[in-house]
Amino acid sequence: MGASFPRVSAAIQVEDLYKSFRIPTHRVDSLKERVIRPFAARDHRELKALDGISFEIEQGEFFGIVGRNGSGKSTLLKLLASIYRIDSGTIRMAGRMAPFIELGVGFNTDLSARENVVLNGVMMGLTPREARNRLDAVVEFAELGEFVDLKLKNYSSGMLVRLAFSLLLEVDADILLIDEVLAVGDAAFQQKCVDAFHEMKSAGKTIILVTHEMGSVESFCHRAMLIEGGRIAVIGAPDEVSREYLRLNFEAPGPGAGADVTGTRTDATVRLLDTSLVDAEGHRANAAEHGGKLRIRTRIEALRDFAGLEISYLIANAEGIAVSQWRFGVGGDPPPPVKAGERLEIVTAAENLLAPGHYLVHLGINVKVEGGMALEMPGAIDFVVFGVANHHALVALPQETVTTPYEGE
């Protein structure tokens, strides 16, 4: 749950914002093609990146913007930073913005880090003297002291992002626009970014963080917004927005989802009609939310009479490590006899305590007949667990804790 945020006054107001792009339907790559088809370059289609969105960000608010690739969030960023021109609508800002849009934007790679810090500092509103005076602080935070006179074209991507983010911290801006800074750089620098975020939040800076990392949204943001298809899908508490984002990415597309794993054995006593992960409505699914219900449905047909039926599900992660096993007799213990031609549907449900990730279910069906025949299907079900877990283990075991007075030696 995000921290509560007292409403003061708006730092950013966006009203009925539209932005479209003209995408050529035919690419002209040669002079010959241009002569043969002189009007081909004029053919285009319209891509509507933002479709009338409106929202406000309060002064001193840490605001998260999330969305899948192609959702329109990058376009929104560039409009807020005045890189793109809006088609219609309004953007109002109360204060000066320091944008950190993409890795290396605004840097001249033929200049040294020293020259780029001064140049970009001036572009962000500092005087040349202020920019030079803050050079040491920028370089120290970025840990690039021995490379300060090296041209940026010789920098790695990690060095570039460290320099850019360090410069952002030294600019006296009211509004900071940050895009995916935690996704680049080593673990030590990422922790420095986290500490810097906490300091900026405590200082009451207005910060807009665009990220795919839901942990960052829930850790830092007062509120967040999910964009999908150029429109606002949800805006509100970070945990709510995070849940909707993960559901949008991983939740099952509806009936018919999931792989077809039906099959039979020539000598089998049972025929496997279907086995799959299912949702609460019984539709085939390919994902389940952490903390919700994990449901597996198996349908079989008896090819002959047998005294009982037992099913086993072994759940393994993507590395092949077994993390849980369900084993039970169908219909009771001991399971009742089954007649030839009889069809059964077995639905098993349990609280989903698996950590977010990719899993496989290995299916085993044992029947009580002479010879103990069985049907086995490795990797019968392939699914994803999504959500945010409050643990780092593969599975969280249910627990019960009892505290009593102790009077020992």
Side-chain angles (χ1 to χ4, degrees):
M1 191 75 179
S4 60
F5 178 77
R7 294 182 65 85
V8 188
S9 57
I12 298 177
Q13 289 180 319
V14 175
E15 296 179 3
D16 210 22
L17 192 63
Y18 287 86
K19 180 63 180 178
S20 298
F21 296 96
R22 292 162 61 95
I23 309 298
T25 57
H26 183 80
R27 182 175 175 177
V28 178
D29 294 318
S30 66
L31 180 60
K32 177 181 178 181
E33 194 171 5
R34 186 177 296 277
V35 172
I36 296 174
R37 302 185 61 184
F39 301 107
R42 301 181 186 179
D43 298 335
H44 69 275
R45 63 182 177 88
E46 185 179 41
L47 173 64
K48 189 172 290 186
L50 293 176
D51 191 13
I53 66 171
S54 301
F55 63 94
E56 288 187 0
I57 300 175
E58 303 300 315
Q59 290 184 7
E61 187 173 14
F62 207 125
F63 190 82
I65 300 178
V66 302
R68 298 189 293 180
N69 292 334
S71 62
K73 70 179 188 304
S74 295
T75 299
L76 175 59
L77 248 67
K78 290 179 172 63
L79 289 172
L80 292 175
S82 299
I83 294 175
Y84 288 164
R85 179 179 297 177
I86 64 176
D87 291 344
S88 64
T90 58
I91 298 176
R92 300 184 182 91
M93 290 194 184
R96 185 161 53 86
M97 172 177 281
F100 180 69
I101 300 296
E102 293 173 355
L103 182 62
V105 168
F107 282 157
N108 185 332
T109 58
D110 287 322
L111 299 179
S112 68
R114 182 190 305 275
E115 293 165 325
N116 271 285
V117 167
V118 175
L119 178 61
N120 278 267
V122 171
M123 291 172 60
M124 290 184 181
L126 299 178
T127 66
R129 174 176 291 182
E130 287 174 332
R132 285 191 293 269
N133 289 342
R134 300 184 190 190
L135 173 66
D136 290 343
V138 171
V139 173
E140 181 181 356
F141 186 93
E143 301 173 0
L144 295 171
E146 58 183 307
F147 306 105
V148 68
D149 291 311
L150 186 67
K151 291 184 178 181
L152 293 195
K153 63 183 178 181
N154 297 314
Y155 269 34
S156 68
S157 60
M159 294 166 70
L160 278 173
V161 77
R162 281 154 56 186
L163 182 65
F165 185 73
S166 302
L167 176 60
L168 182 74
L169 297 180
E170 291 299 321
V171 176
D172 298 325
D174 305 299
I175 303 169
L176 303 176
L177 181 59
I178 304 172
D179 182 17
E180 291 288 6
V181 68
L182 296 180
V184 185
D186 56 28
F189 185 76
Q190 289 180 23
Q191 184 57 51
K192 291 182 72 170
C193 292
V194 168
D195 295 339
F197 278 162
H198 283 301
E199 291 177 8
M200 289 187 289
K201 187 175 180 179
S202 299
K205 294 280 189 179
T206 302
I207 304 169
I208 304 168
L209 175 64
V210 179
T211 181
H212 289 284
E213 174 52 50
M214 294 303 102
S216 298
V217 172
E218 296 197 32
S219 297
F220 299 114
C221 297
H222 297 106
R223 288 189 305 141
M225 176 174 72
L226 170 62
I227 298 180
E228 177 65 17
R231 297 186 176 186
I232 297 175
V234 61
I235 184 169
D239 57 343
E240 176 189 357
V241 174
S242 175
R243 189 177 302 112
E244 288 300 316
Y245 172 80
L246 293 168
R247 180 174 290 113
L248 191 64
N249 274 273
F250 296 116
E251 196 171 43
D260 182 9
V261 296
T262 59
T264 185
R265 290 166 52 122
T266 57
D267 60 347
T269 305
V270 296
R271 176 183 289 116
L272 177 63
L273 302 176
D274 175 64
T275 185
S276 65
L277 199 72
V278 294
D279 59 21
E281 287 74 39
H283 298 147
R284 292 168 64 88
N286 54 21
E289 184 173 5
H290 172 81
K293 286 289 186 181
L294 189 65
R295 299 177 180 85
I296 296 179
R297 181 184 65 201
T298 297
R299 292 168 173 164
I300 62 170
E301 179 183 4
L303 301 180
R304 56 175 288 190
D305 296 350
F306 49 85
L309 175 69
E310 184 181 78
I311 289 184
S312 172
Y313 298 121
L314 180 65
I315 302 176
N317 68 359
E319 287 74 38
I321 300 172
V323 295
S324 183
Q325 184 173 30
W326 301 350
R327 191 180 185 95
F328 54 90
V330 175
D333 189 15
V338 180
K339 299 293 184 182
E342 187 175 351
R343 291 190 170 193
L344 299 175
E345 177 178 283
I346 305 103
V347 179
T348 309
E351 184 181 358
N352 185 7
L353 302 176
L354 298 172
H358 183 197
Y359 296 90
L360 295 173
V361 178
H362 307 307
L363 169 67
I365 300 177
N366 297 314
V367 294
K368 294 188 177 181
V369 295
E370 185 178 354
M373 299 175 66
L375 186 151
E376 295 181 351
M377 183 169 288
I381 303 172
D382 185 332
F383 71 99
V384 168
V385 172
F386 67 92
V388 179
N390 58 1
H391 62 87
H392 300 288
L394 291 175
V395 62
L397 296 177
Q399 62 188 37
E400 181 177 319
T401 303
V402 177
T403 303
T404 58
Y406 172 68
E407 298 179 357
E409 296 182 357

